[in-house]
Amino acid sequence: MTSAEAGALRRLAPPARRFLAHRKGVLVRLALWSLAESGQAFLVGHAVARSVDEGFLAGDPRRGLLWLGIALVAVLSGARVVRGVFAQLAGVTEPLRDGLVRRAVDRSMARAAPDGPGGTDRAAVSRLTNQVEIARDSFAGLVLSLRSFVFTAAGALLGLLSLHPALLLVVLPPLAAGLALFLVTLRPMAAAQRRALAADEALGEHAASARAALRDLAACGTGPGVEQRGADLVAEAAAAARTLAGWAAMRTAALGVAGHLPVLALLVAVEWLRGRGVSVGALLGAFTYLVQSLLPALHTLMTALGAAGSRLLVVLDRILGPEPEPEPEPELGPGTASAPGAAAFAVHTDAAPAVELRAVTLSYGVRAEPVLDALDLRVAPGEHLAVVGPSGIGKSTLTRLVAGTLAPSRGEVRVAGRPVTGCPAAELAALRVLVPQDAYVFSGTVGDNLAYLRTDARRAELDAAVGAFGLAPLVERLGGLDGTVRPAELSPGERQLVALVRAYLSPAPLLLLDEATCHLDPASEARAEEALAGRTGTLVVVAHRLSSAVRADRTLVLDGVRAQCGTHAELLGRSPLYQDLTGHWNS
């Protein structure tokens, strides 16, 4: 945890305590529902153990089925428990949202009041819409994760103890070790992320200033000094990246230890446990406790603390913290008026980048301002990149350049290490698939439309793709894969889903989505992007909603002055435009 984050925690602790103190009744009711969840977790594993020991192994299948029925009832009762939990959760999250909205409105009105500081609060829309929703959703996720882990773990550990105390001796050490290792990595990894970000920004600023002053450097003979400074910054950035990678490996190891080692330890200790009187049913019940209750709750907790926790801290500090100082406008020299690509955004890899732009500039006319100016970009194989920015800033232009349907004015565009400018259409089709906003569907069978880019696709592969995108109801309505498609009878969203499945089945290693999910509802969009991200290959998405940027590995922000690239959380912390843009999407 950095000093800035520690300061934010100190500022937010008193209002957080006051907020929770006024909602003791809701918290008590939430705890009561959570106790029911503990009972459910306990009953499932216990019933499985009893069904084996007292039923099937004892030659009494009726008794075994009866206990399995009890386990089934416990599982089905989980729906009622979840409903009760969410009903009480609203009593905590909605007042939080209302309070944050009031705070954001008060701040914005104070800036606009004649007796106040004055000026326009450009971030007000972002705070009132997306930032408040991020805070509410993150807070709800943390409450759910912490509550679920505490009560589910209590039920599961009590169940293990009831089956046989020796089970706890095997399961608890690796579980506690993984959780402790994860908690130890939180603070140093946050500090390492901050140092890596600062090193990247310093290197980018140095590259931009050096590029703008190349003639002066050559004329004055100061090039060697600038070159040495650049080498030092590269070394600092590399050291910071190595440190961050080391802590990331530690976090991955913690997840592995907590998520897999308890099961492995239980398997290894089977003979030892059997020698101490642990029955077969108790062993099966212990595995049920681990796989169905304890480990999923632990994994959810770790994910929430690592992602939602830091995001919630940043957003709450921006809304509840002191008024931030306005950022000075950058002083732009003759060579930097529109240089979004002065710094190269890269994920380092030994293989050729999936997408590489080298000082790419594009202007729609001799005297027109460049839409993209000296943009450098590298996207690693298998990476998921989102592209965001105001309307007309060049997002679609970027996808056309990468697709090879538009040639840059200057610079070079490569896909999988091969230049795409002037590349034959057949070779381009093997390298990438571009799905535009208005998808193309032709008259023919459903199967022909889906397999258009991969004619040798097997029926099982088509069925799997249809299921992955939730397209089964449409396919059934049209008469199956052999049914006839009439494009005019499909909605825009249905046509887009057909085109997305077609792209999913394509053998091309690169998928380019140019707001290709704009006609889909948020749930369908999330399902489609998750399916496409899970496909082998690289995914570049021009985001239609903020959720696309949140799901991506990195996000590229284009603003006509300079480009910034990073994760969703990083950009919320260092890109004013990205903070404002988040208010224009519904996440």
Side-chain angles (χ1 to χ4, degrees):
M1 183 181 298
T2 62
S3 58
E5 291 168 335
L9 277 176
R10 286 192 296 270
R11 288 192 298 270
L12 296 175
R17 286 194 294 266
R18 290 194 298 269
F19 176 80
L20 295 176
H22 286 86
R23 285 156 186 86
K24 293 179 180 177
V26 175
L27 295 177
V28 168
R29 290 190 294 273
L30 188 61
L32 291 176
W33 278 110
S34 300
L35 281 175
E37 188 171 350
S38 293
Q40 178 202 9
F42 172 84
L43 193 56
V44 170
H46 193 77
V48 169
R50 298 286 293 273
S51 70
V52 173
D53 288 339
E54 299 178 6
F56 300 112
L57 289 182
D60 189 354
R62 283 189 175 183
R63 192 177 184 86
L65 291 174
L66 176 63
W67 278 110
L68 287 182
I70 294 174
L72 177 61
V73 171
V75 171
L76 294 178
S77 67
R80 183 71 181 93
V81 173
V82 170
R83 180 180 177 183
V85 167
F86 273 88
Q88 299 305 319
L89 185 66
V92 180
T93 58
E94 298 310 308
L96 173 69
R97 181 181 65 174
D98 294 342
L100 293 178
V101 168
R102 285 194 295 271
R103 170 65 177 173
V105 170
D106 291 344
R107 169 177 289 185
S108 182
M109 294 296 291
R111 287 180 61 89
D115 296 332
T120 302
D121 189 0
R122 293 180 295 178
V125 173
S126 176
R127 286 197 295 267
L128 281 170
T129 54
N130 194 65
Q131 289 188 32
V132 168
E133 293 304 312
I134 287 175
R136 183 187 66 168
D137 293 345
S138 299
F139 179 67
L142 281 175
V143 171
L144 285 175
S145 300
L146 289 170
R147 176 206 59 82
S148 177
F149 174 73
V150 170
F151 288 93
T152 300
L157 293 176
L158 184 61
L160 288 171
L161 180 63
S162 70
L163 294 178
H164 200 287
L167 293 170
L168 289 179
L169 296 178
V170 175
V171 169
L172 274 183
L175 197 66
L179 184 59
L181 183 59
F182 172 78
L183 295 176
V184 166
T185 63
L186 286 178
R187 182 170 181 173
M189 188 167 183
Q193 287 174 331
R194 182 65 64 99
R195 288 194 297 270
L197 180 61
D200 285 343
E201 289 177 346
L203 182 58
E205 291 173 1
H206 176 78
S209 61
R211 173 180 173 272
L214 284 177
R215 288 184 296 181
D216 293 337
L217 293 175
C220 299
T222 55
V226 174
E227 180 182 358
Q228 182 59 46
R229 173 59 178 161
D232 294 340
L233 289 174
V234 168
E236 292 175 9
R242 285 192 295 269
T243 302
L244 182 59
W247 285 111
M250 287 285 288
R251 176 173 290 185
T252 302
L255 288 172
V257 169
H260 302 289
L261 202 54
V263 176
L264 181 60
L266 199 58
L267 286 172
V268 172
V270 165
E271 184 177 355
W272 181 82
L273 291 169
R274 291 286 291 154
R276 278 152 182 78
V278 179
S279 65
V280 174
L283 287 171
L284 188 57
F287 281 111
T288 302
Y289 281 129
L290 285 177
V291 176
Q292 295 295 327
S293 301
L294 196 56
L295 298 185
L298 181 62
H299 187 272
T300 302
L301 174 69
M302 288 184 172
T303 303
L305 287 177
S310 59
R311 186 163 61 243
L312 176 64
L313 184 63
V314 171
V315 174
L316 286 181
D317 193 45
R318 289 187 62 82
I319 297 177
L320 300 177
E323 183 74 20
E325 293 293 329
E327 295 189 8
E329 294 294 329
E331 297 181 3
L332 302 178
T336 61
S338 58
F345 306 113
V347 170
H348 299 289
T349 176
D350 294 332
V355 177
E356 185 175 19
L357 276 66
R358 300 177 178 176
V360 168
T361 299
L362 185 129
S363 302
Y364 291 106
V366 177
R367 297 187 178 181
E369 289 291 329
V371 179
L372 300 173
D373 186 13
L375 177 62
D376 294 329
L377 175 68
R378 285 195 291 274
V379 182
E383 188 178 9
H384 179 184
L385 178 76
V387 182
V388 303
S391 178
I393 204 65
K395 303 186 296 294
S396 295
T397 298
L398 177 63
T399 59
R400 292 177 61 195
L401 286 168
V402 175
T405 60
L406 184 65
S409 305
R410 291 189 299 276
E412 186 179 36
V413 181
R414 289 176 173 264
V415 172
R418 300 177 57 184
V420 297
T421 303
C423 188
E427 295 182 21
L428 285 176
L431 291 174
R432 88 295 180 265
V433 174
L434 172 63
V435 183
Q437 296 181 33
D438 298 317
Y440 173 69
V441 177
F442 56 85
S443 298
T445 68
V446 176
D448 289 341
N449 268 277
L450 298 181
Y452 179 71
L453 298 177
R454 186 181 169 191
T455 56
D456 63 342
R458 297 188 298 271
R459 193 177 188 89
E461 293 174 310
L462 295 177
D463 290 336
V466 166
F469 285 79
L471 202 62
L474 173 62
V475 174
E476 292 175 4
R477 193 186 82 207
L478 296 177
L481 294 176
D482 297 324
T484 302
V485 174
R486 296 178 179 84
E489 296 178 3
L490 300 183
S491 69
E494 290 171 338
R495 289 197 294 270
Q496 281 191 304
L497 279 175
V498 171
L500 289 171
V501 174
R502 179 192 302 156
Y504 174 84
L505 291 167
S506 165
L510 172 64
L511 294 188
L512 304 167
L513 306 186
D514 185 9
E515 292 194 359
T517 58
C518 62
H519 295 302
L520 303 181
D521 62 270
S524 298
E525 179 187 59
R527 183 172 186 170
E529 285 190 8
E530 287 172 3
L532 292 170
R535 170 188 181 273
T536 301
T538 306
L539 179 63
V540 177
V541 180
V542 173
H544 175 66
R545 295 183 179 93
L546 176 63
S547 51
S548 295
V550 175
R551 284 188 291 268
D553 297 326
R554 291 188 302 154
T555 299
L556 175 67
V557 183
L558 299 177
D559 65 359
V561 177
R562 62 192 180 102
Q564 295 195 61
C565 198
T567 64
H568 173 70
E570 290 170 348
L571 292 172
L572 280 176
R574 62 182 168 95
S575 173
L577 174 64
Y578 189 75
Q579 295 160 6
D580 291 341
L581 280 176
T582 53
H584 297 283
W585 279 290
N586 293 320
S587 61

